[in-house]
Amino acid sequence: MYNIMIVDQQKSNHEKIRLFLQESKQDFEIIGEVTSAEQAEALLEKMEVHLIVADDVLPKKTGLQLFIDNSEKYPNMHMILFTDYNRFNSSKDIMAQGRMDFLFKPIRRNDVVKSIIHMSQIVDEDVQKRNALKIVRASYENHLSVFRDRFLINLLHGHIDSDSTIYNQMDYFKIPYNNSFTVGVIKLDHYRTYQLALDEEERQFLIFNALNIVSDYVEKNQLGFVFINRYDELSFIFTTEMDEDDLFNHAYNLQELLASVQNIRVTIGLGKTYHRPMFISVSYHQARAALRNSHYLGQGSIIHVNYIPGKGDIAYFYPRDKEQLMIYATVNGHLEASLDYLDVIFEALKVDSHLPKHYYQIMIIDLLVNINRNALENGLSIEDFFKSYVRLGEINTIDNLNQAHTYLKDAISKICTYQLKGLQTSDKALIDALYRYVHTYYASKISLRRAAQFLKTTPYHLEQIIMDKEKQTFYEFCMDIRLNVSKELLKNTTDSITSISEKIGFSNPEYYIAIFKQHFHMSPATFRYDGKDRIIHHSKS
């Protein structure tokens, strides 16, 4: 049952509205009858109101203003408003929201009853949607830990590149943090043995139990947080400032706990400490690099990244994901995105001021080779461009950051221009293919979606190409072809106009005649007997 409120300064109208509500036989309960907007607002604060039946003429504040002022605060509130036509004209946008119906004065009984039934259906649909949303919301809150873990994994892998975004999400998921971030990775040793000895449930429980042991220790000592990173690994992020000795002591304690409580042997890799959350992914990659050296530094060890010889900072700071995105954007001719990603890459390169001079030469060649390879893999060969543009002698003269950045900016700009020319040729071929498609199937039901699917592209891309090349919508493009075909039939056959309209895909000959007149300012019959050709042909093969 839904709650209804009557708002009308003439109390004599209240009885009429009650009778209309009874006649509609809808599941409403009248919870209040008031004479002003102020009284209505006081009742809204006390009770949930699903439908207000109101006169627009009220003292101090109109019925329409009552709805406008309270619609956001009470999203379940709907209204039937008795008004006049002039007021309605200024209120069409409100009606378009679907939560209000207007009835023009003088009010007729049948109109009110129909409106009540109509709004009852809308209220019912809205309540069902809101109840369904509540169920989804409850399910979401029950699975919040899943989203928390996804956030942490994305954080480790560098998919969130804004300190403020990271802090906001940490606050949202109630993740404790201070001003220090150190990542450690705990890897279960001899996991292959567990795979052979344990069934699936026991293997899943093994890593879960390890998580509980480590989580209890980390929370008890207020160190930070820990989560499952993959089937055989836990990752922890210490957010408490500590020196290297304290870091190792905590790592040793975790090792001993896992060995004594669960009889699990683990190797722990440790990254460096940073004071910006953006660099959590850097610390994580350092911890994993430390683990990769366990084959000679020993399983069951605690390995800090500082123990690894020959690793410069750029190995961890270089944004390989942005490099891949830059390659994709360049191959597809998206210059702005390509240059943005290139700027991010070169900003990261500033971290290491001791890179050897030939690093930049190798980097340029590597990027150009990867762009060429990606283009080939996607059927977009740019080998001709490389043969005419790339000169190894020129690349070999580059020996600093700025020179490398300038060279790659120029190269990427030229590649994107080259690719766009190829795509423009492809666009012309697409328009020609669409013309042939419509000419073949004009008698059928042609839709943008079906045409795009047939031509192996997206509706959005196809419509953009039509608008760019033909200055028409898809509908107009198809209609021009149909009307040109009908013109040929009118000139060269004795078929009836009804028959011609059916042949070009019109189910209603009256509609065909109306469209023909709209386009050519004469009827099909006049065109046939007048003998004048006023239709412009498409010049397509």
Side-chain angles (χ1 to χ4, degrees):
M1 180 173 289
Y2 305 131
N3 297 333
I4 191 166
M5 176 167 57
I6 299 170
V7 187
D8 196 310
Q9 64 179 334
Q10 302 294 329
K11 288 191 175 181
S12 58
N13 290 333
H14 291 201
E15 179 63 29
K16 295 177 183 178
I17 296 171
R18 284 199 298 272
L19 291 173
F20 295 153
L21 287 166
Q22 291 173 8
E23 188 175 343
S24 71
K25 298 179 181 179
Q26 300 303 300
D27 194 18
F28 282 117
E29 178 184 359
I30 300 174
I31 61 166
E33 298 181 25
V34 298
T35 57
S36 70
E38 289 78 6
Q39 292 173 346
E41 288 172 335
L43 188 57
L44 282 170
E45 290 183 2
K46 296 176 182 178
M47 302 186 69
E48 182 177 29
V49 179
H50 297 98
L51 179 63
I52 298 174
V53 180
D55 189 79
D56 197 22
V57 179
L58 296 171
K60 295 185 179 179
K61 183 186 288 189
T62 66
L64 178 62
Q65 197 61 47
L66 168 67
F67 181 85
I68 293 172
D69 290 349
N70 293 278
S71 61
E72 187 174 342
K73 185 176 180 181
Y74 304 106
N76 290 339
M77 180 186 72
H78 300 71
M79 179 177 278
I80 298 173
L81 188 68
F82 304 150
T83 186
D84 57 47
Y85 188 75
N86 290 333
R87 290 176 181 269
F88 169 72
N89 272 341
S90 63
S91 312
K92 287 181 179 178
D93 290 342
I94 303 296
M95 187 176 181
Q97 297 176 8
R99 291 169 53 195
M100 175 176 277
D101 197 9
F102 290 83
L103 294 179
F104 299 140
K105 298 176 181 178
I107 302 302
R108 290 180 288 274
R109 180 183 61 84
N110 285 344
D111 291 339
V112 178
V113 172
K114 286 180 182 178
S115 180
I116 292 169
I117 294 171
H118 171 66
M119 292 306 293
S120 173
Q121 292 171 344
I122 291 176
V123 170
D124 188 53
E125 289 172 2
D126 283 356
V127 169
Q128 288 180 22
K129 287 178 183 177
R130 292 184 184 279
N131 288 340
L133 189 60
K134 286 180 183 177
I135 294 171
V136 174
R137 173 68 66 177
S139 178
Y140 165 74
E141 290 173 355
N142 290 334
H143 293 85
L144 203 58
S145 60
V146 175
F147 292 92
R148 174 186 179 273
D149 286 352
R150 292 310 308 165
F151 158 65
L152 293 173
I153 290 170
N154 285 328
L155 184 59
L156 287 187
H157 292 279
H159 299 320
I160 310 174
D161 53 8
S162 162
D163 285 337
S164 60
T165 301
I166 295 170
Y167 282 131
N168 288 339
Q169 293 199 32
M170 283 182 167
D171 290 337
Y172 175 75
F173 290 114
K174 296 180 173 62
I175 296 171
Y177 63 87
N178 291 308
N179 61 346
S180 172
F181 303 96
T182 309
V183 178
V185 178
I186 303 173
K187 184 174 179 59
L188 276 60
D189 294 338
H190 311 298
Y191 189 78
R192 290 183 183 275
T193 303
Y194 295 128
Q195 285 181 308
L196 295 173
L198 304 177
D199 63 26
E200 188 60 42
E201 182 177 351
E202 290 172 325
R203 288 197 296 271
Q204 298 295 338
F205 180 75
L206 180 74
I207 191 71
F208 179 76
N209 196 25
L211 173 66
N212 280 337
I213 293 168
V214 177
S215 293
D216 286 345
Y217 179 87
V218 170
E219 290 174 10
K220 179 181 177 182
N221 291 278
Q222 297 182 336
L223 298 175
F225 48 94
V226 59
F227 54 98
I228 297 172
N229 184 34
R230 45 179 257 176
Y231 60 89
D232 62 344
E233 285 183 4
L234 302 176
S235 291
F236 61 79
I237 302 177
F238 287 172
T239 61
T240 302
E241 189 78 50
M242 66 183 73
D243 59 27
E244 195 169 295
D245 285 342
D246 288 338
L247 176 62
F248 270 85
N249 286 334
H250 287 303
Y252 281 124
N253 290 341
L254 290 173
Q255 266 192 333
E256 291 174 2
L257 268 174
L258 289 167
S260 61
V261 177
Q262 202 176 2
N263 196 27
I264 293 176
R265 184 182 177 186
V266 299
T267 302
I268 301 179
L270 299 172
K272 294 180 182 180
T273 298
Y274 295 96
H275 294 89
R276 290 181 59 188
M278 271 183 59
F279 295 149
I280 286 174
S281 63
V282 174
S283 186
Y284 167 71
H285 288 302
Q286 291 168 344
R288 287 206 51 79
L291 281 177
R292 286 195 293 272
N293 286 268
S294 64
H295 65 283
Y296 70 90
L297 292 174
Q299 285 192 333
S301 302
I302 296 173
I303 307 171
H304 196 281
V305 67
N306 288 340
Y307 294 0
I308 303 171
K311 284 281 183 180
D313 285 342
I314 195 60
Y316 308 111
F317 280 87
Y318 189 83
R320 301 196 182 282
D321 57 333
K322 298 296 189 294
E323 178 187 285
Q324 197 59 52
L325 291 171
M326 185 202 72
I327 290 169
Y328 293 150
T330 303
V331 168
N332 288 285
H334 191 172
L335 178 59
E336 183 178 356
S338 300
L339 295 180
D340 285 346
Y341 292 131
L342 186 69
D343 289 343
V344 172
I345 291 170
F346 274 86
E347 192 63 31
L349 289 174
K350 293 178 182 178
V351 171
D352 196 333
S353 59
H354 301 292
L355 291 170
K357 292 181 179 181
H358 64 273
Y359 173 86
Y360 301 107
Q361 300 163 13
I362 295 171
M363 174 195 175
I364 290 170
I365 293 171
D366 184 56
L367 280 175
L368 293 176
V369 167
N370 282 329
I371 290 171
N372 192 25
R373 188 188 70 191
N374 187 273
L376 285 169
E377 289 171 351
N378 288 278
L380 298 168
S381 176
I382 51 178
E383 287 183 325
D384 290 341
F385 170 81
F386 278 88
K387 289 176 183 178
S388 62
Y389 178 82
V390 177
R391 296 288 182 267
L392 289 178
E394 182 182 0
I395 294 173
N396 286 335
T397 64
I398 295 171
D399 61 6
N400 64 61
L401 186 77
N402 290 334
Q403 287 179 354
H405 197 179
T406 300
Y407 180 89
L408 282 171
K409 274 185 178 179
D410 184 64
I412 286 172
S413 298
K414 286 183 168 64
I415 293 170
C416 288
T417 301
Y418 182 87
Q419 289 297 85
L420 285 175
K421 286 180 181 177
L423 290 172
Q424 287 169 359
T425 302
S426 175
D427 292 346
K428 183 180 183 305
L430 186 64
I431 287 291
D432 291 343
L434 175 64
Y435 184 80
R436 291 191 295 272
Y437 171 82
V438 177
H439 244 292
T440 303
Y441 297 104
Y442 58 74
S444 308
K445 288 183 178 179
I446 298 176
S447 69
L448 178 62
R449 180 184 61 80
R450 288 177 181 172
Q453 187 176 351
F454 180 85
L455 298 171
K456 294 181 173 57
T457 186
T458 64
Y460 172 83
H461 179 66
L462 183 59
E463 192 162 45
Q464 290 296 110
I465 296 302
I466 297 169
M467 185 59 68
D468 182 53
K469 300 295 182 184
E470 302 295 320
K471 311 302 179 193
Q472 293 179 302
T473 64
F474 175 79
Y475 169 83
E476 291 167 342
F477 182 89
C478 295
M479 187 59 70
D480 274 2
I481 292 175
R482 280 175 162 151
L483 292 176
N484 274 318
V485 170
S486 77
K487 168 248 184 178
E488 296 296 330
L489 294 173
L490 287 168
K491 282 172 55 178
N492 301 319
T493 74
T494 58
D495 293 346
S496 68
I497 290 174
T498 298
S499 175
I500 289 173
S501 71
E502 290 174 354
K503 286 181 179 180
I504 63 170
F506 284 87
S507 58
N508 185 340
E510 301 294 334
Y511 180 58
Y512 162 64
I513 293 169
I515 292 295
F516 196 98
K517 283 182 177 179
Q518 184 183 41
H519 276 66
F520 310 120
H521 309 294
M522 65 174 70
S523 69
T526 301
F527 172 82
R528 166 174 272 173
Y529 296 113
D530 195 25
K532 293 181 180 178
D533 186 350
R534 300 187 186 180
I535 303 176
I536 301 172
H537 283 280
H538 278 272
S539 58
K540 291 181 174 60
S541 55

